[in-house]
Amino acid sequence: MANRKIFVLNGPNLNLLGQREPEIYGTTSLSDIETGLRQRAEQVGYSLDFRQTNGEGTLVDQVQEAMTDGAGLIINPGAYTHTSIALRDALAALSIPVIEVHLSNIHAREAFRQTSHVSPVVTGVICGLGAQGYARALDALCALMR
Ligand code: DQA
């Protein structure tokens, strides 16, 4: 049977969603996002591997796992978006569709957030839609994987 697993990888500080700067990132927790996304994925016949890490190397390892084990990837790399060439290189090695998600509109924020090292090597980018950006990313992935 075809691989039906979607990886959802979350980088540093996203474990604090709901408590962390709620005026920017909203009040929905990461576990609420996970629950909603899992239901949505199961309805359309996909399973989710949903993770969060504060470590750059761990995030790179997880991208490599998605490379061998995933049909698609949703990634919010947090601050590593703006700093990590290692993460960009890992993502560039993938041949599955990848959607980069940010809760906030990184282009409307500080200058250092307006550069994403990962955007040039992913399939698409969703930012500024808050927690529902993850659901939109899942919809997009499903269409791309069809
Ligand atoms: C973020 C945006 C990043 O600039 C920031 O470092 C984050 C969260 C977002 O989802 O809006 O940690 O990726």
Side-chain angles (χ1 to χ4, degrees):
M1 200 185 121
N3 181 353
R4 306 283 287 178
K5 192 197 279 190
I6 295 173
F7 278 71
V8 185
L9 302 180
N10 295 280
N13 300 307
L14 291 167
N15 54 314
L16 300 178
L17 273 188
Q19 308 156 45
R20 170 196 185 207
E21 300 181 273
E23 65 290 356
I24 297 174
Y25 299 116
T27 52
T28 308
S29 69
L30 195 62
S31 82
D32 288 342
I33 291 174
E34 177 177 359
T35 304
L37 210 62
R38 200 175 285 290
Q39 272 175 7
R40 205 177 177 85
E42 281 166 9
Q43 278 165 8
V44 288
Y46 288 94
S47 68
L48 283 194
D49 196 327
F50 193 103
R51 316 223 191 135
Q52 188 276 330
T53 177
N54 291 325
E56 181 178 0
T58 306
L59 197 55
V60 169
D61 287 342
Q62 292 175 352
V63 168
Q64 291 186 10
E65 271 187 68
M67 181 174 166
T68 50
D69 221 17
L73 169 63
I74 296 169
I75 185 163
N76 182 346
Y80 294 139
T81 306
H82 319 296
T83 62
S84 179
I85 307 300
L87 181 63
R88 176 200 168 108
D89 286 351
L91 288 166
L94 298 193
S95 51
I96 57 174
V98 179
I99 311 290
E100 174 188 352
V101 171
H102 302 283
L103 296 127
S104 63
N105 179 355
I106 56 173
H107 303 291
R109 298 185 62 196
E110 301 95 324
F112 66 84
R113 291 187 207 277
Q114 293 177 24
T115 300
S116 167
H117 291 306
V118 308
S119 294
V121 298
V122 298
T123 313
V125 184
I126 293 175
C127 76
L129 301 183
Q132 66 144 324
Y134 285 81
R136 300 286 76 78
L138 181 63
D139 294 345
L141 265 191
C142 290
L144 288 164
M145 293 182 306
R146 225 176 263 140

